[in-house]
Amino acid sequence: MTLKYLHTMVRVKDLEKSMAFYELLGLKETRRMDNDGGRFTLVFMAPPGQEECPVELTYNWDGDDALPDDSRHFGHLAYRVGNIYEMCQKLMDNGVTINRPPRDGHMAFVRSPDNISIELLQEGDALASAEPWASMENTGHW
C-alpha cells in the first residue's frame, strides 16, 4: 500500500492577511482553487523548492465568525493512498472508525486517537463505487 503526504489545512479569517504572514515566513502561493458552489477558496503555499509540502489556507467567503477562538484553525492532514478501499479496510480491521467513508471511491476521513482529522485521497482517478463503502453512512464528524 502506498502513502504520500499531501498537505496540512488551516482555516483563515482574512485570506490576504494570512497569505502575507506566510509570505513573510518565505512561503509562496503554489495553487489556488475557488469553489463557487461551496463558497470557499483554497490557497496552497509552500517554501520554494518544497512545493510538495504545502499548507492549505481555507477561506470561507461567508466568514467564520468563531475564528480565532473556537479551535477551528487546524483542519486536517491529507495523504494520498494507492487504494482507498484497502486502506480504509485495514484501518477498520484495526479498530479505526471511518468517519466519512469513501463512497465516491476518492475521499475518506478518519480521526487519530488524539482526534486529529486525517483526509485520505485516492491516487489517480476515483475507484469504481463498491460496497460496503457506497452505502456506508458518516459517523461523527471529521
Side-chain angles (χ1 to χ4, degrees):
M1 243 182 288
T2 61
L3 178 76
K4 181 180 179 181
Y5 171 81
L6 294 179
H7 63 264
T8 298
M9 183 272 263
V10 294
R11 288 179 181 84
V12 300
K13 187 170 184 158
D14 182 324
L15 183 58
E16 299 310 315
K17 186 183 269 188
S18 293
M19 288 180 65
F21 169 79
Y22 287 99
E23 287 169 354
L24 284 173
L25 292 176
L27 281 67
K28 302 293 181 200
E29 181 177 336
T30 60
R31 184 165 50 118
R32 178 183 292 247
M33 295 171 29
D34 292 314
N35 186 307
D36 293 331
R39 302 192 47 73
F40 62 85
T41 297
L42 307 178
V43 175
F44 293 82
M45 298 183 75
Q50 298 179 51
E51 289 77 15
E52 73 282 5
C53 297
V55 62
E56 171 192 324
L57 307 181
T58 297
Y59 172 70
N60 294 310
W61 299 353
D62 298 323
D64 198 338
D65 293 334
L67 290 177
D69 61 349
D70 77 341
S71 301
R72 285 181 34 88
H73 288 90
F74 177 76
H76 60 261
L77 298 174
Y79 293 93
R80 180 177 299 131
V81 298
N83 185 304
I84 197 160
Y85 295 146
E86 288 178 7
M87 177 60 79
C88 287
Q89 188 63 57
K90 176 183 174 183
L91 293 170
M92 278 182 48
D93 291 347
N94 285 277
V96 175
T97 299
I98 309 299
N99 300 100
R100 194 280 191 193
R103 290 182 293 273
D104 55 6
H106 175 71
M107 177 180 67
F109 276 89
V110 298
R111 289 211 173 240
S112 78
D114 300 301
N115 211 26
I116 303 293
S117 186
I118 310 292
E119 179 181 27
L120 303 172
L121 294 167
Q122 173 61 42
E123 181 175 11
D125 294 334
L127 301 180
S129 182
E131 293 297 341
W133 316 109
S135 59
M136 190 179 287
E137 297 290 325
N138 292 343
T139 301
H141 62 280
W142 57 88

